[in-house]
Amino acid sequence: MDKPKDVPGVGRYGGPAGGWGALQAVARAVRGQMGVSHNTIMLMRVNQPDGFDCPGCAWPDPRAASSFEFCENGAKAVAWEATSHRTTPAFFAANTVTELWRRSDYDLENEGRLTHPMVYDPQTDRYMPIEWDAAMARIGQALRALPGADAAEFYTSGRASNEAAFLYQLFARAFGTNNFPDCSNMCHEATSVGLPESIGVGKGTVTLEDFEHCDAIFCFGHNPGTNHPRMLSTLRAAARRGAQIVVVNPLRERGLERFTSPQHAAEMSLGMSTPIATLYVQPRVGGDAAVLKGMMKALLEMDRDAAATLLPAVIDHDFIASHTLGYDGLVDDLDATVWDDIEAAAGLPQATLAALARAYASSRAAIFCYGMGITQHRQGTANVQQLCNLLLMRGNIGRQGAGICPLRGHSNVQGDRTVGITEIPSASFLQRLDDVFGIQAPRKHGHNAVESMLAMLAGESRALICLGGNLPVAMPDPEKCFAAMRKLDLAVHVATKLNRSHLLTARETFLLPCLGRTELDVQASGPQSITVEDSMSMVHASRGTLPPASPMLRSEPWIVAAMAKATLRDDRIDWDGLVADYGRIRDAIAAVLPDFHDYNARVSVPLGFRLPNAASQREWHTGTGRANFITMAGLDESPTRNHTGALMLATIRSHDQYNTTLYGYDDRYRGITGRRDVVFVNPDDLADRGLSHGDRIDIEAVSDTVGVPGARTLRNVTAVAHDIARGSVAAYYPESNLLVALEHYDPRSGTPSYKSVPVFLRRCQTSTLP
Ligand SMILES: Nc1nc2c(c(=O)[nH]1)N[C@H]1C(S)=C(S)[C@@H](COP(=O)(O)OP(=O)(O)OC[C@H]3O[C@@H](n4cnc5c(=O)[nH]c(N)nc54)[C@H](O)[C@@H]3O)O[C@H]1N2
Ligand SMILES: Nc1nc2c(c(=O)[nH]1)N[C@H]1C(S)=C(S)[C@@H](COP(=O)(O)OP(=O)(O)OC[C@H]3O[C@@H](n4cnc5c(=O)[nH]c(N)nc54)[C@H](O)[C@@H]3O)O[C@H]1N2
Ligand SMILES: [Mo]
């Protein structure tokens, strides 16, 4: 191969994940770059028993309460919130919304924390300050003026506490709708739909302790070095005691290869690192169902060989007989599926799939971890269920050191779901809500995120309330979602910082600034704690310590209650009493959800308590009363083979971003500095197209993927030759969202197929330089 040409901002990262680079990045975030003073940092008590829960991710805290854990990206998340920059009324007076629209997403949030409640004035095209009371009165009036409650959408982003989320769903249901689009709809909905059918719970079954007892960890489609960095400590410990760590990911991700723990002085000072993956396999993007079926087929063949030669069984037939249903159907499907097809769909040879199966078969207790690489596909739900099938084949659910571990996204996305943020609530939950609060919650199911956008676009939904987040920017197809937002009668954003969604103004638009998790929250009864649930169903308290960014800020529970009071006319809910003391909100949650019994007492201890998880006790709350093998028909994600030359695009996160929030323009572990306008391509795929590393290209989505014609092209990005599976390309979200059709989602869960977008690469047609 020719010597790769020099491309600005594109290099190679040679070191391990973590190490001094991570500490330097923390220092940069803390010193000035994000406008945080050292004193502020000293005041913080992140993930300490008496401090606040890190808003960075949902990975659990270690059991030893003293072993304070913090990471580079946690530091960035905290510094982002604790910044000394402020977005004040003077700033809004100096800039029209049209002018602000032209700024980058990075610049908008970099203005800092919102300080005052604001209302949009169409006359001057500016946001103007408004008193809280006046804002609430107008919001209440606008909601009451809707043709019906179902014309309102109540969006939740997963940072909201259990207390805020519970009040929010109570408000919307007392108002009369189950329209709860939420970030989970774009994230782990395939988990929430797929796991209950397979094993009867919609959450992971393992605890952190299980990681100490397993001897194999499989990582499917997640990138912990960036998105769950504290997990690297767990992987490091497992690797050091000799557990196998098997990675299935089209990209080589540094955090899954090598890690230097900043918490271990010796490793740091000696410049040593711990190798993480014992086996790293790179299927093509969208090839997971084929990988999993290949592993199952290989396992089956091994088991048959073992039976023929009187060796011990590889498959746990006793467990299958006493706990499961549907195994025969699975076996028939595996027998009918030929290796040639599996190899083509997986992009891996049979020998590699057999090696994966052998690694699995040789383990005593295995944990399967997975993230967006599994869920964000047209077959996301089926993918999740294939993971379950493979675990069930060896009885790897409901015993020590074994189980399934979805890596959840936002720090409380799982808790929000538990306390009622769902568009498809159960009848029993609604009945208990009615009984406890004397309301009549609607029974009709509501809209998920995609459905809410389609309803807004059609003019059927007229109001959108957002409890955090950046919905139209996080969703596919900005052209459609932005247009949908602009048609609304009412938009209300409860937020900490300015983002693009706030600039998509409706007839009436309100921007309501709230306290963040790091800040002291004082109500009538004194300082308050909130509670959150992590990825492993541990519920614990979090208490902010920093002085609020502005005296005008209100807490999310306060804002939700104020909106409810201004909107509802004949409810008998004591909103003021609930907000005066969040302990009363927790009592109300416990009254509705028995799993939260003695809630206040149980969160008063450092690590809180674990919610019951039936599958981890081998109790199967499925329709059949057993764990179900659920067979997926076929192998393919969205087949690209009908489109000669098409590649499969996955949209991914850089190391310097939190979803739509950009902390900066570097992606250190992938060697990218100061830019995001790149697409990662396998060198052979470049060569096949007569393209080279550094060429400027256009990415064109295959237009008829889901029967939605229309040109979608991301122009003028730089091709970067990368260690990525053949047939696969990757680009950063949210810039690449314009390539994803709104209708391109998993029909079973509604999860957008952000990680399987068939595209063509073309030499750039525009002559302007980037
Ligand atoms: N610092 C930081 N932390 C975060 C976030 C953040 O943006 N920044 N976001 C939070 C949220 S909301 C979430 S949901 C999580 C997301 O955490 P992750 O699930 O780790 O998210 P992604 O970066 O989108 O994608 C993860 C991996 O999927 C791989 N992948 C892509 N396509 C495929 C495929 O077809 N098959 C397989 N097997 N793998 C594939 C990519 O190579 C990438 O390594 O992180 C949370 N934590
Ligand atoms: N192409 C593509 N698109 C994706 C994904 C992908 O992998 N690829 N991933 C999807 C996933 S997994 C998710 S979860 C969604 C994320 O979707 P969202 O959750 O809607 O987006 P965020 O970017 O996390 O929201 C950032 C905003 O939240 C507000 N905020 C921050 N902290 C707080 C707080 O404490 N309270 C309140 N009220 N507001 C706060 C700030 O104003 C900030 O601008 O994006 C999805 N979109
Ligand atoms: Mo997410």
Side-chain angles (χ1 to χ4, degrees):
M1 203 171 100
D2 296 340
K3 182 176 173 292
K5 61 180 161 190
D6 276 342
V7 181
V10 177
R12 234 186 211 100
Y13 179 79
W20 293 112
L23 286 191
Q24 280 158 4
V26 172
R28 265 201 309 278
V30 164
R31 262 200 333 262
Q33 187 181 301
M34 293 193 203
V36 186
S37 76
H38 185 68
N39 286 349
T40 303
I41 295 298
M42 295 307 285
L43 279 170
M44 292 179 184
R45 313 179 76 81
V46 191
N47 293 344
Q48 299 269 45
D50 58 345
F52 55 86
D53 181 67
C54 179
C57 77
W59 187 255
D61 299 322
R63 271 180 308 159
S66 60
S67 76
F68 146 87
E69 260 199 332
F70 201 33
C71 72
E72 172 189 346
N73 280 349
K76 288 184 202 157
V78 169
W80 176 91
E81 188 174 296
T83 176
S84 58
H85 300 178
R86 295 290 179 270
T87 310
T88 60
F91 169 82
F92 285 111
N95 294 284
T96 65
V97 165
T98 309
E99 284 159 1
L100 293 174
W101 182 260
R102 289 189 211 112
R103 299 205 182 180
S104 68
D105 297 279
Y106 174 84
D107 286 343
L108 292 176
E109 290 204 17
N110 205 32
E111 288 299 326
R113 294 288 300 278
L114 296 163
T115 60
H116 285 67
M118 308 294 288
V119 60
Y120 177 66
D121 173 24
Q123 239 74 65
T124 58
D125 187 29
R126 283 181 173 82
Y127 270 107
M128 316 277 256
I130 183 172
E131 295 297 320
W132 278 105
D133 285 353
M136 292 305 173
R138 284 175 60 179
I139 293 167
Q141 203 171 28
L143 283 171
R144 284 197 308 275
L146 293 173
D150 284 334
E153 305 285 349
F154 291 81
Y155 178 67
T156 314
S157 170
R159 276 202 197 173
S161 62
N162 283 357
E163 289 76 4
F166 183 78
L167 288 193
Y168 190 56
Q169 64 81 35
L170 180 61
F171 163 39
R173 290 190 168 115
F175 179 60
T177 186
N178 283 311
N179 284 344
F180 288 106
D182 80 323
C183 71
S184 202
N185 295 142
M186 298 176 255
C187 183
H188 265 293
E189 196 63 48
T191 298
S192 301
V193 172
L195 289 186
E197 292 175 6
S198 291
I199 57 170
V201 298
K203 304 175 180 183
T205 64
V206 296
T207 62
L208 209 46
E209 199 182 339
D210 284 312
F211 282 84
E212 293 163 18
H213 296 282
C214 67
D215 61 355
I217 300 170
F218 282 72
C219 297
F220 292 95
H222 68 103
N223 184 21
T226 289
N227 297 319
H228 305 90
R230 288 182 298 116
M231 185 193 190
L232 293 188
S233 306
T234 304
L235 291 177
R236 174 182 181 275
R240 290 175 84 90
R241 58 178 182 76
Q244 300 185 80
I245 298 179
V246 179
V247 178
V248 178
N249 194 316
L251 277 84
R252 281 227 160 231
E253 304 285 27
R254 184 43 49 96
L256 288 163
E257 292 185 308
R258 274 187 289 139
F259 173 52
T260 295
S261 168
Q263 256 113 10
H264 288 83
E267 211 166 66
M268 288 289 281
S269 61
L270 297 176
M272 290 179 350
S273 62
T274 301
I276 300 292
T278 46
L279 180 60
Y280 203 123
V281 168
Q282 294 174 269
R284 51 184 285 254
V285 161
D288 298 273
V291 170
L292 292 164
K293 280 201 181 184
M295 286 177 73
M296 289 190 272
K297 190 175 172 72
L299 205 63
L300 193 61
E301 288 172 0
M302 286 164 69
D303 191 66
R304 286 174 178 158
D305 288 348
T309 51
L310 301 176
L311 285 167
V314 174
I315 290 171
D316 189 342
H317 297 282
D318 290 344
F319 172 81
I320 290 173
S322 51
H323 284 280
T324 73
L325 280 180
Y327 183 62
D328 293 344
L330 181 80
V331 171
D332 290 346
D333 177 70
L334 294 174
D335 284 337
T337 311
V338 299
W339 277 112
D340 281 354
D341 291 346
I342 293 176
E343 288 184 328
L348 292 169
Q350 180 181 348
T352 304
L353 297 169
L356 282 172
R358 276 197 305 278
Y360 178 52
S362 69
S363 72
R364 194 181 28 78
I367 295 175
F368 286 6
C369 303
Y370 68 97
M372 298 299 99
I374 288 292
T375 60
Q376 292 176 333
H377 297 281
R378 300 262 299 160
Q379 298 279 12
T381 304
N383 281 345
V384 169
Q385 294 181 334
Q386 304 320 297
L387 291 172
C388 286
N389 289 348
L390 187 51
L391 283 168
L392 292 171
M393 282 175 94
R394 286 181 47 77
N396 267 320
I397 291 197
R399 61 187 173 87
Q400 196 178 50
I404 192 148
C405 178
L407 276 296
R408 300 303 297 236
H410 271 294
S411 50
N412 196 39
V413 59
Q414 186 160 316
D416 292 347
R417 259 299 145 82
T418 308
V419 302
I421 302 295
T422 171
E423 71 282 7
I424 44 171
S426 69
S428 59
F429 173 78
L430 296 175
Q431 189 56 53
R432 285 197 299 271
L433 213 54
D434 288 359
D435 295 345
V436 172
F437 291 102
I439 61 169
Q440 279 202 309
R443 267 36 184 187
K444 193 180 130 210
H445 282 174
H447 293 152
N448 64 18
V450 170
E451 289 160 350
S452 73
M453 274 298 166
L454 292 172
M456 284 158 52
L457 201 58
E460 287 155 17
S461 289
R462 315 271 346 137
L464 172 69
I465 318 287
C466 290
L467 188 60
N470 194 1
L471 174 64
V473 179
M475 287 286 283
D477 201 338
E479 207 180 315
K480 274 196 187 161
C481 293
F482 291 2
M485 296 284 292
R486 289 198 160 108
K487 293 174 84 168
L488 292 171
D489 292 335
L490 173 70
V492 179
H493 298 280
V494 180
T496 49
K497 286 196 182 178
L498 183 63
N499 67 41
R500 193 162 300 284
S501 67
H502 310 152
L503 306 177
L504 292 157
T505 51
R507 222 153 47 117
E508 288 195 277
T509 314
F510 298 86
L511 195 44
L512 307 178
C514 66
L515 293 172
R517 200 175 283 170
T518 57
E519 289 161 322
L520 202 57
D521 179 356
V522 181
Q523 302 295 340
S525 70
Q528 303 297 312
S529 302
I530 51 104
T531 55
V532 293
E533 175 184 341
D534 66 30
S535 264
M536 297 182 191
S537 305
M538 293 293 300
V539 178
H540 61 97
S542 167
R543 177 179 289 220
T545 46
L546 300 179
S550 146
M552 294 295 286
L553 302 187
R554 296 291 181 271
S555 76
E556 290 180 343
W558 186 96
I559 294 170
V560 170
M563 266 194 284
K565 283 193 296 175
T567 308
L568 305 174
R569 277 294 164 255
D570 43 39
D571 68 305
R572 276 165 288 142
I573 300 166
D574 178 14
W575 295 102
D576 289 330
L578 289 165
V579 171
D581 176 357
Y582 296 175
R584 293 190 194 130
I585 307 178
R586 288 186 285 274
D587 285 339
I589 294 175
V592 175
L593 296 164
D595 285 351
F596 284 89
H597 67 87
D598 304 308
Y599 197 170
N600 281 304
R602 290 196 292 161
V603 289
S604 66
V605 298
L607 291 174
F609 64 95
R610 183 164 194 239
L611 288 168
N613 187 297
S616 68
Q617 311 298 316
R618 293 199 167 172
E619 286 167 30
W620 314 107
H621 293 175
T622 55
T624 63
R626 289 182 163 231
N628 294 310
F629 285 98
I630 298 175
T631 304
M632 167 188 165
L635 293 163
D636 269 327
E637 182 44 40
S638 315
T640 44
R641 62 176 72 133
N642 306 335
H643 304 279
T644 313
L647 300 163
M648 197 67 103
L649 168 79
T651 60
I652 56 172
R653 294 160 166 78
S654 80
H655 193 62
D656 267 4
Q657 83 182 75
Y658 196 94
N659 299 337
T660 68
T661 293
L662 304 185
Y663 300 133
Y665 287 83
D666 297 348
D667 191 7
R668 193 168 70 247
Y669 299 145
R670 299 194 188 106
I672 303 296
T673 318
R675 61 189 302 183
R676 291 172 53 86
D677 56 340
V678 296
V679 55
F680 299 103
V681 195
N682 181 291
D684 294 335
D685 284 326
L686 280 177
D688 279 0
R689 286 160 185 74
L691 298 167
S692 348
H693 178 67
D695 281 356
R696 284 182 305 115
I697 58 171
D698 294 340
I699 310 177
E700 186 187 308
V702 174
S703 65
D704 65 345
T705 334
V706 281
V708 206
R712 284 166 220 287
T713 309
L714 180 62
R715 297 196 188 280
N716 207 1
V717 294
T718 294
V720 172
H722 196 74
D723 194 347
I724 180 171
R726 283 216 67 176
S728 312
V729 293
Y732 296 127
Y733 131 69
E735 291 87 337
S736 53
N737 286 26
L738 64 87
L739 295 168
V740 192
L742 192 54
E743 296 80 358
H744 189 51
Y745 56 82
D746 171 17
R748 290 173 68 191
S749 68
T751 315
S753 185
Y754 295 119
K755 301 244 192 299
S756 274
V757 186
V759 296
F760 298 113
L761 301 187
R762 315 235 186 257
R763 196 175 290 284
C764 186
Q765 297 304 313
T766 46
S767 52
T768 44
L769 283 164

